Amino acid sequence: MSGHWLGGSMFNFLRRQKQPKVFVIGLDCAAPELVFDAWRDQLPNLRRLMENGVYGELISSIPAITVPAWSSMLSSKDPGVLGFYGFRNRADYSYDKMTIATGAAMKEKWVWDILGEAGKQVILVGVPQTYPVRPVNGYLISSFLTPSVEKQYTYPHELRYEIDRVLGGEEYDLDVREFRTEDKDHLLQQIYAMSEKQFKVMRYLMDNKPWDFFMFVDMGVDRIHHGMWKYHDPTHPKHEPGNKYQHAIRDYYIHLDRQIGTLLERVPEETVILVVSDHGAKAMHGGICVNEWLRREGYLVLREEPEGEGPIPFDKVKVDWSKTRVWGSGGYYARIFINVEGREPQGTVPAAHYEAFRDELAEALRSLPSPDGSDIGTRVFKPQEIYREVRNIPPDLIVYFGDLSWRSVGSFGHGGIYTFENDIGPDDANHAENGLFILADPRAKGSGRRIAARQLMDIAPTILEAFKLPIPPDMQGRVIEG
Ligand SMILES: [Zn+2]
């Protein structure tokens, strides 16, 4: 055997081995206090990553919502620059035209676009806002905002036939179909079925497709938090100690950790591994009926009393726009819109008074107390103050009632401004502002340190840095050092 030949081969072999890879485990809504503290010892795979790396809380975008959070994380742009402020956004300055921020709303590059341009092979599974499917340099399975598997949900299209074969003809689940259900056994069955299929397909992809960058997002964590938080959290107002589902969330984390272990077995040693969540979770104390409150405060005027039983959606009531100055939208956070002269069709607030009026309104929202009259710690944000740029049409104010312990309810007919039933189906959890990250970089020999909180937008530059690729100057985050 010639030494020269061996040397060359060895050199190529080593060079190939040293090509960095990045593997990203996305857990939508995973809560740092559960992974880092409460269940650390029951999650051996995640614990090993913590011990071999650094970890900490990951501060979400404002709003702390799946869309825009994942795209903010993976483009390193804030929601104002991205130009979407939640799932639903105003399409124009009319009173009712809204659009859904699918992947089509995303005009900036995701980190995998940059990696693909640099020749890196990517595999993406379940990352929010990847529908409608766009070409990538590799393989993609879209996410929960895909209408159904009847649509093109993979790239390339033909990948769907491989998935069919791997699942033995069973349908791939893009989401839990009915997650706002009172039938909790059915909810659990759906979540586990979705997860098992997704991990099976991912093991197949890892065994059969080349990749430099692999990322997946598990939506089961989010679905189980929203559906079952009251069973698990003793501080939840509806918690019953000793209930049948007390450990359901913990058991799902344990299941996930095991499934993650089956993927980590397939990850080459030199791979940089990231675990990330887009926000955390916390108990929901109730809902604040934002439009009812605006009406009682004189900001919103209806032409007639809302009629009917139960929640009456905002678009079913007759608003007197000529007398209305403000209206709002429901969700985990409130979006507040001001009816501005010359901007909205029947604007009432003079543009010259806009800022003073917005300040007065923000103060009134901050002062809205709990039912017993105490301060709930509401936070109010002006888009122009929190984003680098403000594109498309943002809400005039973004409100975290009780710092997200209270949701915003847009409908009428709740008999007051507080409600303890959700108008769109059972939901026990709201989002907490902080999610989590774990960064295990084999080159850094991480010390297992818990470090100060970082921000979502730090993730994309950290991925580029792992590949030693230049970081575009318009990325807003900073590299997390392993
Ligand atoms: Zn989420």
Side-chain angles (χ1 to χ4, degrees):
M1 211 182 287
S2 121
H4 176 75
W5 179 85
L6 181 65
S9 163
M10 202 54 146
F11 175 74
N12 284 333
F13 174 74
L14 286 173
R15 200 175 55 170
R16 209 164 45 239
Q17 288 296 296
K18 288 218 170 95
Q19 287 287 319
K21 287 180 189 286
V22 176
F23 188 77
V24 182
I25 298 166
L27 306 175
D28 194 294
C29 202
E33 70 279 12
L34 302 183
V35 173
F36 297 162
D37 306 312
W39 302 331
R40 181 187 178 104
D41 291 334
Q42 294 166 80
L43 307 171
N45 290 298
L46 293 175
R47 190 187 62 200
R48 200 169 58 245
L49 295 174
M50 284 182 249
E51 286 167 354
N52 293 333
V54 294
Y55 61 98
E57 298 195 359
L58 192 59
I59 303 165
S60 191
S61 52
I62 300 172
I65 304 292
T66 305
V67 171
W70 286 103
S71 284
S72 179
M73 177 198 297
L74 297 161
S75 65
S76 201
K77 306 279 162 64
D78 69 42
V81 173
L82 298 179
F84 43 86
Y85 304 88
F87 283 105
R88 284 156 54 77
N89 294 271
R90 290 182 82 180
D92 54 33
Y93 283 107
S94 66
Y95 296 118
D96 49 6
K97 199 153 173 248
M98 305 291 278
T99 55
I100 302 279
T102 66
M106 180 66 178
K107 308 296 183 202
E108 301 290 317
K109 281 182 187 173
W110 283 293
V111 69
W112 59 81
D113 296 320
I114 297 169
L115 296 175
E117 285 165 13
K120 304 293 177 192
Q121 300 266 352
V122 308
I123 296 182
L124 302 160
V125 178
V127 182
Q129 280 190 302
T130 49
Y131 181 88
V133 168
R134 292 187 214 174
V136 295
N137 187 34
Y139 298 89
L140 179 152
I141 301 174
S142 68
S143 53
F144 73 101
L145 285 171
T146 311
S148 87
V149 291
E150 304 299 313
K151 304 283 181 184
Q152 183 183 347
Y153 76 101
T154 61
Y155 183 85
H157 175 68
E158 294 70 32
L159 177 61
R160 66 184 297 132
Y161 304 117
E162 293 182 59
I163 294 171
D164 286 346
R165 208 175 58 227
V166 172
L167 298 180
E170 268 192 83
E171 192 169 281
Y172 185 80
D173 296 326
L174 292 154
D175 197 0
V176 174
R177 277 196 196 89
E178 297 152 19
F179 72 91
R180 296 191 191 279
T181 170
E182 287 295 359
D183 183 349
K184 301 303 176 185
D185 287 331
H186 179 51
L187 174 68
L188 285 172
Q189 180 264 322
Q190 294 180 85
I191 291 172
Y192 277 88
M194 172 174 78
S195 160
E196 268 157 27
K197 288 181 204 173
Q198 185 175 334
F199 278 97
K200 194 169 186 185
V201 167
M202 290 196 289
R203 285 189 290 271
Y204 167 81
L205 293 172
M206 294 183 83
D207 289 343
N208 292 282
K209 310 289 184 197
W211 60 272
D212 301 298
F213 176 74
F214 191 115
M215 172 165 188
F216 75 92
V217 175
D218 178 277
M219 282 309 295
V221 188
D222 182 82
R223 301 319 187 208
I224 202 167
H225 283 171
H226 286 296
M228 307 194 80
W229 195 264
K230 73 176 174 210
Y231 301 106
H232 135 92
D233 179 358
T235 71
H236 192 283
K238 293 185 182 173
H239 180 73
E240 291 169 23
N243 73 80
K244 173 181 172 195
Y245 299 113
Q246 186 131 16
H247 300 301
I249 294 180
R250 183 200 65 189
D251 293 346
Y252 185 68
Y253 275 71
I254 292 172
H255 155 84
L256 265 184
D257 185 80
R258 251 185 239 133
Q259 293 278 6
I260 288 167
T262 68
L263 302 184
L264 293 178
E265 285 166 10
R266 290 164 162 83
V267 169
E269 232 170 79
E270 69 277 12
T271 305
V272 175
I273 300 170
L274 271 159
V275 183
V276 285
S277 67
D278 56 336
H279 48 77
K282 59 162 71 169
M284 193 183 308
H285 290 180
I288 290 180
C289 303
V290 64
N291 285 317
E292 184 62 48
W293 178 80
L294 288 167
R295 178 163 80 133
R296 291 177 185 206
E297 296 294 311
Y299 291 114
L300 170 65
V301 179
L302 300 185
R303 280 195 266 125
E304 55 191 53
E305 197 58 22
E307 278 188 34
E309 289 282 306
I312 303 154
F314 185 71
D315 59 11
K316 297 281 183 287
V317 299
K318 294 197 171 67
V319 177
D320 186 342
W321 291 108
S322 70
K323 296 191 178 117
T324 288
R325 290 176 292 162
V326 186
W327 77 105
S329 232
Y332 296 125
Y333 65 109
R335 284 158 296 165
I336 301 291
F337 308 106
I338 299 177
N339 196 18
V340 182
E341 247 176 46
R343 192 182 80 172
E344 273 73 13
Q346 297 178 66
T348 55
V349 174
H353 298 166
Y354 175 80
E355 279 306 333
F357 180 76
R358 186 160 69 152
D359 286 337
E360 169 206 310
L361 183 62
E363 195 41 52
L365 285 158
R366 261 192 294 271
S367 312
L368 205 167
S370 74
D372 67 13
S374 58
D375 180 14
I376 55 173
T378 293
R379 296 160 73 200
V380 183
F381 307 96
K382 291 182 188 175
Q384 292 74 9
E385 289 177 358
I386 55 173
Y387 304 131
R388 178 181 278 184
E389 278 182 62
V390 177
R391 295 184 179 159
N392 299 328
I393 305 181
D396 293 288
L397 293 171
I398 292 171
V399 183
Y400 287 1
F401 284 124
D403 198 16
L404 295 172
S405 291
W406 291 77
R407 67 176 281 130
S408 166
V409 175
S411 53
F412 288 94
H414 301 280
I417 62 167
Y418 303 100
T419 177
F420 299 94
E421 300 307 323
N422 196 336
D423 57 345
I424 51 168
D427 193 340
D428 310 336
N430 205 342
H431 292 176
E433 191 173 32
N434 288 3
L436 61 84
F437 74 90
I438 304 170
L439 170 62
D441 182 343
R443 299 165 304 178
K445 301 213 182 344
S447 56
R449 266 178 314 134
R450 183 166 181 163
I451 61 175
R454 303 301 297 263
Q455 211 276 343
L456 279 188
M457 294 187 288
D458 296 341
I459 297 300
T462 301
I463 292 168
L464 291 177
E465 167 68 17
F467 286 108
K468 298 279 172 246
L469 286 171
I471 296 162
D474 61 347
M475 282 197 167
Q476 293 172 251
R478 291 170 302 131
V479 173
I480 303 172
E481 305 289 345

